[in-house]
PDB file of all heavy atoms in Angstrom:
ATOM      1  N   LYS A 337     -14.244  -2.143 -14.449  1.00 98.00           N
ATOM      2  CA  LYS A 337     -15.372  -2.199 -15.389  1.00 98.00           C
ATOM      3  C   LYS A 337     -15.252  -1.093 -16.442  1.00 98.00           C
ATOM      4  O   LYS A 337     -15.445  -1.319 -17.633  1.00 98.00           O
ATOM      5  CB  LYS A 337     -16.676  -2.046 -14.598  1.00 98.00           C
ATOM      6  CG  LYS A 337     -17.896  -2.357 -15.395  1.00 98.00           C
ATOM      7  CD  LYS A 337     -19.127  -2.496 -14.515  1.00 98.00           C
ATOM      8  CE  LYS A 337     -20.356  -2.651 -15.384  1.00 98.00           C
ATOM      9  NZ  LYS A 337     -21.487  -1.872 -14.890  1.00 98.00           N
ATOM     10  N   ALA A 338     -14.884   0.107 -15.955  1.00 98.00           N
ATOM     11  CA  ALA A 338     -14.740   1.232 -16.884  1.00 98.00           C
ATOM     12  C   ALA A 338     -13.635   0.960 -17.909  1.00 98.00           C
ATOM     13  O   ALA A 338     -13.657   1.492 -19.018  1.00 98.00           O
ATOM     14  CB  ALA A 338     -14.439   2.512 -16.104  1.00 98.00           C
ATOM     15  N   LEU A 339     -12.691   0.118 -17.530  1.00 97.00           N
ATOM     16  CA  LEU A 339     -11.605  -0.222 -18.461  1.00 97.00           C
ATOM     17  C   LEU A 339     -11.975  -1.412 -19.355  1.00 97.00           C
ATOM     18  O   LEU A 339     -11.147  -1.902 -20.119  1.00 97.00           O
ATOM     19  CB  LEU A 339     -10.320  -0.543 -17.677  1.00 97.00           C
ATOM     20  CG  LEU A 339      -9.682   0.630 -16.926  1.00 97.00           C
ATOM     21  CD1 LEU A 339      -8.475   0.162 -16.119  1.00 97.00           C
ATOM     22  CD2 LEU A 339      -9.272   1.744 -17.895  1.00 97.00           C
ATOM     23  N   GLY A 340     -13.191  -1.893 -19.198  1.00 95.00           N
ATOM     24  CA  GLY A 340     -13.659  -2.980 -20.068  1.00 95.00           C
ATOM     25  C   GLY A 340     -13.320  -4.360 -19.553  1.00 95.00           C
ATOM     26  O   GLY A 340     -13.606  -5.366 -20.207  1.00 95.00           O
ATOM     27  N   ALA A 341     -12.697  -4.439 -18.369  1.00 98.00           N
ATOM     28  CA  ALA A 341     -12.316  -5.740 -17.813  1.00 98.00           C
ATOM     29  C   ALA A 341     -13.362  -6.202 -16.791  1.00 98.00           C
ATOM     30  O   ALA A 341     -14.260  -5.451 -16.421  1.00 98.00           O
ATOM     31  CB  ALA A 341     -10.949  -5.630 -17.140  1.00 98.00           C
ATOM     32  N   THR A 342     -13.205  -7.424 -16.318  1.00 97.00           N
ATOM     33  CA  THR A 342     -14.037  -7.905 -15.218  1.00 97.00           C
ATOM     34  C   THR A 342     -13.197  -7.840 -13.952  1.00 97.00           C
ATOM     35  O   THR A 342     -12.174  -8.522 -13.851  1.00 97.00           O
ATOM     36  CB  THR A 342     -14.454  -9.376 -15.470  1.00 97.00           C
ATOM     37  OG1 THR A 342     -15.053  -9.442 -16.752  1.00 97.00           O
ATOM     38  CG2 THR A 342     -15.431  -9.855 -14.420  1.00 97.00           C
ATOM     39  N   GLY A 343     -13.612  -7.023 -12.996  1.00 98.00           N
ATOM     40  CA  GLY A 343     -12.835  -6.857 -11.766  1.00 98.00           C
ATOM     41  C   GLY A 343     -12.977  -8.070 -10.858  1.00 98.00           C
ATOM     42  O   GLY A 343     -14.072  -8.605 -10.683  1.00 98.00           O
ATOM     43  N   THR A 344     -11.863  -8.516 -10.297  1.00 98.00           N
ATOM     44  CA  THR A 344     -11.875  -9.620  -9.332  1.00 98.00           C
ATOM     45  C   THR A 344     -11.110  -9.183  -8.087  1.00 98.00           C
ATOM     46  O   THR A 344      -9.884  -9.085  -8.126  1.00 98.00           O
ATOM     47  CB  THR A 344     -11.177 -10.872  -9.936  1.00 98.00           C
ATOM     48  OG1 THR A 344     -11.775 -11.166 -11.193  1.00 98.00           O
ATOM     49  CG2 THR A 344     -11.293 -12.069  -9.028  1.00 98.00           C
ATOM     50  N   PRO A 345     -11.814  -8.887  -6.981  1.00 98.00           N
ATOM     51  CA  PRO A 345     -11.092  -8.467  -5.770  1.00 98.00           C
ATOM     52  C   PRO A 345     -10.365  -9.647  -5.126  1.00 98.00           C
ATOM     53  O   PRO A 345     -10.949 -10.712  -4.957  1.00 98.00           O
ATOM     54  CB  PRO A 345     -12.213  -7.963  -4.834  1.00 98.00           C
ATOM     55  CG  PRO A 345     -13.459  -7.921  -5.663  1.00 98.00           C
ATOM     56  CD  PRO A 345     -13.276  -8.872  -6.800  1.00 98.00           C
ATOM     57  N   LEU A 346      -9.105  -9.434  -4.826  1.00 98.00           N
ATOM     58  CA  LEU A 346      -8.283 -10.465  -4.165  1.00 98.00           C
ATOM     59  C   LEU A 346      -7.330  -9.765  -3.217  1.00 98.00           C
ATOM     60  O   LEU A 346      -6.908  -8.634  -3.483  1.00 98.00           O
ATOM     61  CB  LEU A 346      -7.413 -11.200  -5.186  1.00 98.00           C
ATOM     62  CG  LEU A 346      -7.961 -12.322  -6.054  1.00 98.00           C
ATOM     63  CD1 LEU A 346      -6.832 -12.888  -6.914  1.00 98.00           C
ATOM     64  CD2 LEU A 346      -8.578 -13.429  -5.202  1.00 98.00           C
ATOM     65  N   ALA A 347      -6.930 -10.465  -2.150  1.00 97.00           N
ATOM     66  CA  ALA A 347      -5.877  -9.932  -1.283  1.00 97.00           C
ATOM     67  C   ALA A 347      -4.551  -9.991  -2.059  1.00 97.00           C
ATOM     68  O   ALA A 347      -4.375 -10.811  -2.962  1.00 97.00           O
ATOM     69  CB  ALA A 347      -5.775 -10.743  -0.002  1.00 97.00           C
ATOM     70  N   TYR A 348      -3.656  -9.109  -1.682  1.00 98.00           N
ATOM     71  CA  TYR A 348      -2.362  -8.970  -2.364  1.00 98.00           C
ATOM     72  C   TYR A 348      -1.622 -10.314  -2.464  1.00 98.00           C
ATOM     73  O   TYR A 348      -1.128 -10.688  -3.524  1.00 98.00           O
ATOM     74  CB  TYR A 348      -1.552  -7.976  -1.542  1.00 98.00           C
ATOM     75  CG  TYR A 348      -0.252  -7.490  -2.102  1.00 98.00           C
ATOM     76  CD1 TYR A 348      -0.130  -7.021  -3.408  1.00 98.00           C
ATOM     77  CD2 TYR A 348       0.875  -7.431  -1.272  1.00 98.00           C
ATOM     78  CE1 TYR A 348       1.080  -6.513  -3.876  1.00 98.00           C
ATOM     79  CE2 TYR A 348       2.077  -6.916  -1.730  1.00 98.00           C
ATOM     80  CZ  TYR A 348       2.179  -6.464  -3.033  1.00 98.00           C
ATOM     81  OH  TYR A 348       3.368  -5.952  -3.477  1.00 98.00           O
ATOM     82  N   GLY A 349      -1.568 -11.028  -1.368  1.00 97.00           N
ATOM     83  CA  GLY A 349      -0.805 -12.277  -1.315  1.00 97.00           C
ATOM     84  C   GLY A 349      -1.377 -13.389  -2.185  1.00 97.00           C
ATOM     85  O   GLY A 349      -0.752 -14.430  -2.363  1.00 97.00           O
ATOM     86  N   GLU A 350      -2.575 -13.174  -2.727  1.00 98.00           N
ATOM     87  CA  GLU A 350      -3.192 -14.215  -3.565  1.00 98.00           C
ATOM     88  C   GLU A 350      -3.008 -13.961  -5.047  1.00 98.00           C
ATOM     89  O   GLU A 350      -3.435 -14.761  -5.889  1.00 98.00           O
ATOM     90  CB  GLU A 350      -4.696 -14.296  -3.256  1.00 98.00           C
ATOM     91  CG  GLU A 350      -4.986 -14.839  -1.876  1.00 98.00           C
ATOM     92  CD  GLU A 350      -6.439 -14.625  -1.466  1.00 98.00           C
ATOM     93  OE1 GLU A 350      -7.309 -14.453  -2.343  1.00 98.00           O
ATOM     94  OE2 GLU A 350      -6.677 -14.603  -0.251  1.00 98.00           O
ATOM     95  N   VAL A 351      -2.365 -12.825  -5.375  1.00 98.00           N
ATOM     96  CA  VAL A 351      -2.306 -12.426  -6.786  1.00 98.00           C
ATOM     97  C   VAL A 351      -1.404 -13.361  -7.600  1.00 98.00           C
ATOM     98  O   VAL A 351      -1.759 -13.769  -8.711  1.00 98.00           O
ATOM     99  CB  VAL A 351      -1.846 -10.951  -6.916  1.00 98.00           C
ATOM    100  CG1 VAL A 351      -1.713 -10.551  -8.379  1.00 98.00           C
ATOM    101  CG2 VAL A 351      -2.838 -10.027  -6.213  1.00 98.00           C
ATOM    102  N   TYR A 352      -0.260 -13.745  -7.041  1.00 98.00           N
ATOM    103  CA  TYR A 352       0.663 -14.612  -7.786  1.00 98.00           C
ATOM    104  C   TYR A 352      -0.043 -15.914  -8.183  1.00 98.00           C
ATOM    105  O   TYR A 352      -0.061 -16.298  -9.355  1.00 98.00           O
ATOM    106  CB  TYR A 352       1.913 -14.918  -6.949  1.00 98.00           C
ATOM    107  CG  TYR A 352       2.937 -15.749  -7.696  1.00 98.00           C
ATOM    108  CD1 TYR A 352       4.052 -15.147  -8.278  1.00 98.00           C
ATOM    109  CD2 TYR A 352       2.777 -17.130  -7.844  1.00 98.00           C
ATOM    110  CE1 TYR A 352       4.987 -15.907  -8.986  1.00 98.00           C
ATOM    111  CE2 TYR A 352       3.700 -17.887  -8.545  1.00 98.00           C
ATOM    112  CZ  TYR A 352       4.804 -17.275  -9.108  1.00 98.00           C
ATOM    113  OH  TYR A 352       5.720 -18.016  -9.811  1.00 98.00           O
ATOM    114  N   THR A 353      -0.650 -16.547  -7.201  1.00 98.00           N
ATOM    115  CA  THR A 353      -1.331 -17.819  -7.470  1.00 98.00           C
ATOM    116  C   THR A 353      -2.500 -17.606  -8.418  1.00 98.00           C
ATOM    117  O   THR A 353      -2.758 -18.441  -9.292  1.00 98.00           O
ATOM    118  CB  THR A 353      -1.864 -18.418  -6.151  1.00 98.00           C
ATOM    119  OG1 THR A 353      -0.857 -18.244  -5.167  1.00 98.00           O
ATOM    120  CG2 THR A 353      -2.178 -19.883  -6.283  1.00 98.00           C
ATOM    121  N   GLY A 354      -3.184 -16.493  -8.257  1.00 98.00           N
ATOM    122  CA  GLY A 354      -4.326 -16.184  -9.127  1.00 98.00           C
ATOM    123  C   GLY A 354      -3.899 -16.079 -10.584  1.00 98.00           C
ATOM    124  O   GLY A 354      -4.558 -16.626 -11.480  1.00 98.00           O
ATOM    125  N   LEU A 355      -2.788 -15.387 -10.810  1.00 98.00           N
ATOM    126  CA  LEU A 355      -2.286 -15.232 -12.184  1.00 98.00           C
ATOM    127  C   LEU A 355      -1.806 -16.586 -12.715  1.00 98.00           C
ATOM    128  O   LEU A 355      -2.049 -16.957 -13.859  1.00 98.00           O
ATOM    129  CB  LEU A 355      -1.130 -14.227 -12.217  1.00 98.00           C
ATOM    130  CG  LEU A 355      -1.487 -12.752 -11.999  1.00 98.00           C
ATOM    131  CD1 LEU A 355      -0.228 -11.924 -11.705  1.00 98.00           C
ATOM    132  CD2 LEU A 355      -2.226 -12.171 -13.209  1.00 98.00           C
ATOM    133  N   ASN A 356      -1.127 -17.307 -11.856  1.00 98.00           N
ATOM    134  CA  ASN A 356      -0.531 -18.581 -12.261  1.00 98.00           C
ATOM    135  C   ASN A 356      -1.589 -19.618 -12.613  1.00 98.00           C
ATOM    136  O   ASN A 356      -1.430 -20.406 -13.536  1.00 98.00           O
ATOM    137  CB  ASN A 356       0.359 -19.098 -11.116  1.00 98.00           C
ATOM    138  CG  ASN A 356       1.377 -20.097 -11.592  1.00 98.00           C
ATOM    139  OD1 ASN A 356       1.729 -20.107 -12.774  1.00 98.00           O
ATOM    140  ND2 ASN A 356       1.846 -20.943 -10.697  1.00 98.00           N
ATOM    141  N   SER A 357      -2.697 -19.605 -11.871  1.00 98.00           N
ATOM    142  CA  SER A 357      -3.721 -20.636 -12.077  1.00 98.00           C
ATOM    143  C   SER A 357      -4.769 -20.216 -13.105  1.00 98.00           C
ATOM    144  O   SER A 357      -5.620 -21.020 -13.471  1.00 98.00           O
ATOM    145  CB  SER A 357      -4.422 -20.915 -10.750  1.00 98.00           C
ATOM    146  OG  SER A 357      -5.100 -19.737 -10.347  1.00 98.00           O
ATOM    147  N   GLY A 358      -4.735 -18.932 -13.524  1.00 98.00           N
ATOM    148  CA  GLY A 358      -5.742 -18.479 -14.486  1.00 98.00           C
ATOM    149  C   GLY A 358      -7.029 -17.997 -13.831  1.00 98.00           C
ATOM    150  O   GLY A 358      -7.995 -17.671 -14.510  1.00 98.00           O
ATOM    151  N   VAL A 359      -7.072 -17.941 -12.484  1.00 98.00           N
ATOM    152  CA  VAL A 359      -8.238 -17.355 -11.800  1.00 98.00           C
ATOM    153  C   VAL A 359      -8.388 -15.895 -12.240  1.00 98.00           C
ATOM    154  O   VAL A 359      -9.480 -15.367 -12.383  1.00 98.00           O
ATOM    155  CB  VAL A 359      -8.067 -17.459 -10.261  1.00 98.00           C
ATOM    156  CG1 VAL A 359      -9.043 -16.573  -9.515  1.00 98.00           C
ATOM    157  CG2 VAL A 359      -8.228 -18.907  -9.825  1.00 98.00           C
ATOM    158  N   ILE A 360      -7.258 -15.238 -12.461  1.00 98.00           N
ATOM    159  CA  ILE A 360      -7.247 -13.883 -13.042  1.00 98.00           C
ATOM    160  C   ILE A 360      -6.285 -13.882 -14.234  1.00 98.00           C
ATOM    161  O   ILE A 360      -5.374 -14.715 -14.310  1.00 98.00           O
ATOM    162  CB  ILE A 360      -6.807 -12.815 -12.014  1.00 98.00           C
ATOM    163  CG1 ILE A 360      -5.530 -13.265 -11.282  1.00 98.00           C
ATOM    164  CG2 ILE A 360      -7.921 -12.508 -11.037  1.00 98.00           C
ATOM    165  CD1 ILE A 360      -4.929 -12.213 -10.382  1.00 98.00           C
ATOM    166  N   ASP A 361      -6.528 -12.936 -15.147  1.00 98.00           N
ATOM    167  CA  ASP A 361      -5.653 -12.807 -16.327  1.00 98.00           C
ATOM    168  C   ASP A 361      -4.683 -11.655 -16.173  1.00 98.00           C
ATOM    169  O   ASP A 361      -3.668 -11.600 -16.874  1.00 98.00           O
ATOM    170  CB  ASP A 361      -6.496 -12.511 -17.580  1.00 98.00           C
ATOM    171  CG  ASP A 361      -7.601 -13.523 -17.786  1.00 98.00           C
ATOM    172  OD1 ASP A 361      -7.282 -14.717 -17.829  1.00 98.00           O
ATOM    173  OD2 ASP A 361      -8.780 -13.105 -17.878  1.00 98.00           O
ATOM    174  N   ALA A 362      -5.043 -10.718 -15.316  1.00 98.00           N
ATOM    175  CA  ALA A 362      -4.266  -9.478 -15.246  1.00 98.00           C
ATOM    176  C   ALA A 362      -4.367  -8.897 -13.840  1.00 98.00           C
ATOM    177  O   ALA A 362      -5.244  -9.278 -13.055  1.00 98.00           O
ATOM    178  CB  ALA A 362      -4.813  -8.473 -16.262  1.00 98.00           C
ATOM    179  N   ALA A 363      -3.437  -7.999 -13.531  1.00 98.00           N
ATOM    180  CA  ALA A 363      -3.472  -7.283 -12.256  1.00 98.00           C
ATOM    181  C   ALA A 363      -3.017  -5.866 -12.533  1.00 98.00           C
ATOM    182  O   ALA A 363      -2.610  -5.539 -13.668  1.00 98.00           O
ATOM    183  CB  ALA A 363      -2.552  -7.958 -11.236  1.00 98.00           C
ATOM    184  N   GLU A 364      -3.139  -4.999 -11.533  1.00 98.00           N
ATOM    185  CA  GLU A 364      -2.613  -3.630 -11.712  1.00 98.00           C
ATOM    186  C   GLU A 364      -1.856  -3.272 -10.453  1.00 98.00           C
ATOM    187  O   GLU A 364      -2.339  -3.481  -9.349  1.00 98.00           O
ATOM    188  CB  GLU A 364      -3.720  -2.639 -12.090  1.00 98.00           C
ATOM    189  CG  GLU A 364      -4.941  -2.587 -11.188  1.00 98.00           C
ATOM    190  CD  GLU A 364      -4.735  -1.687  -9.997  1.00 98.00           C
ATOM    191  OE1 GLU A 364      -4.250  -0.564 -10.159  1.00 98.00           O
ATOM    192  OE2 GLU A 364      -5.058  -2.141  -8.879  1.00 98.00           O
ATOM    193  N   ASN A 365      -0.624  -2.833 -10.640  1.00 98.00           N
ATOM    194  CA  ASN A 365       0.197  -2.455  -9.490  1.00 98.00           C
ATOM    195  C   ASN A 365       1.402  -1.662  -9.988  1.00 98.00           C
ATOM    196  O   ASN A 365       1.526  -1.407 -11.186  1.00 98.00           O
ATOM    197  CB  ASN A 365       0.627  -3.693  -8.698  1.00 98.00           C
ATOM    198  CG  ASN A 365       0.591  -3.436  -7.200  1.00 98.00           C
ATOM    199  OD1 ASN A 365       1.100  -2.410  -6.739  1.00 98.00           O
ATOM    200  ND2 ASN A 365      -0.020  -4.333  -6.453  1.00 98.00           N
ATOM    201  N   ASN A 366       2.280  -1.303  -9.054  1.00 98.00           N
ATOM    202  CA  ASN A 366       3.486  -0.573  -9.435  1.00 98.00           C
ATOM    203  C   ASN A 366       4.601  -1.560  -9.816  1.00 98.00           C
ATOM    204  O   ASN A 366       4.491  -2.765  -9.577  1.00 98.00           O
ATOM    205  CB  ASN A 366       3.918   0.342  -8.287  1.00 98.00           C
ATOM    206  CG  ASN A 366       4.119  -0.456  -7.009  1.00 98.00           C
ATOM    207  OD1 ASN A 366       4.995  -1.303  -6.933  1.00 98.00           O
ATOM    208  ND2 ASN A 366       3.273  -0.224  -6.014  1.00 98.00           N
TER     209      ASN A 366
END
Side-chain angles (χ1 to χ4, degrees):
K337 192 167 173 222
L339 293 176
T342 306
T344 307
L346 279 183
Y348 188 49
E350 291 167 22
V351 177
Y352 183 100
T353 318
L355 289 166
N356 201 23
S357 64
V359 165
I360 48 173
D361 306 305
E364 53 84 47
N365 219 313
N366 56 64

